[in-house]
Amino acid sequence: MMRSIVRGCVAGAVGTTVLNVATFADMALRGRPSSQAPAQTVEKIAQGMGRPVPGSGDGRENRLSGLGGLSGIAVGVGTGVMVSLVCHAGLRLPWGLGGLATGALAMAATDLPMARLGVSDPAGWSATDWASDAVPHLMYGFATYGTLVEHGE
């Protein structure tokens, strides 16, 4: 089981790197700003736990931005571990379907909390907004699942 957890961490890290490359490339090509949603989500979660992020001004904003990025890494690695454990338990899908399911799981793990906390409303997203979210998550899914399948999970 420990090997599956480690494989999941590695696969999730690979997928997260691919997702970040796709996202940053999109930002560079279209000249769009980075999303503030991860930082806003962290801020709402921290407030809800009674542990607001300390500081003020730029220092606080920078902390929130850093915590938002770290939360994305945690979701990516955690999703990799979950998928690895599911594979270890015997559920193995063909690469394409496994990659699609892994990407959808990661997308749900980020978008559902943001929607529930009122940070974002996917129902109001444009087609471009959906593509900007879905494409990197699908790339994450294929990279993560492919890494797991390639390395024996």
Side-chain angles (χ1 to χ4, degrees):
M1 167 106 77
M2 186 54 78
R3 290 183 83 153
S4 293
I5 292 170
V6 171
R7 283 185 184 137
C9 286
V10 169
V14 167
T16 300
T17 300
V18 168
L19 181 143
N20 285 336
V21 167
T23 300
F24 295 140
D26 177 50
M27 290 167 56
L29 290 171
R30 293 194 302 134
R32 72 170 179 86
S34 62
S35 173
Q36 297 304 308
Q40 293 169 353
T41 301
V42 166
E43 182 175 33
K44 288 203 173 210
I45 290 171
Q47 288 173 345
M49 295 173 59
R51 304 288 299 172
V53 175
S56 62
D58 287 345
R60 185 171 186 281
E61 293 303 313
N62 292 338
R63 276 191 186 91
L64 287 167
S65 180
L67 290 168
L70 289 170
S71 71
I73 293 169
V75 167
V77 172
T79 300
V81 170
M82 288 175 37
V83 172
S84 182
L85 291 173
V86 167
C87 289
H88 179 78
L91 177 60
R92 298 204 174 121
L93 301 172
W95 179 81
L97 186 56
L100 184 64
T102 301
L105 178 61
M107 191 167 162
T110 56
D111 292 348
L112 290 175
M114 286 191 285
R116 181 159 165 77
L117 292 168
V119 170
S120 182
D121 181 12
W125 290 0
S126 69
T128 302
D129 295 334
W130 275 104
S132 294
D133 195 47
V135 170
H137 281 101
L138 288 175
M139 293 175 73
Y140 163 88
F142 291 127
T144 300
Y145 198 76
T147 301
L148 286 172
V149 169
E150 179 69 25
H151 296 292
E153 198 52 70

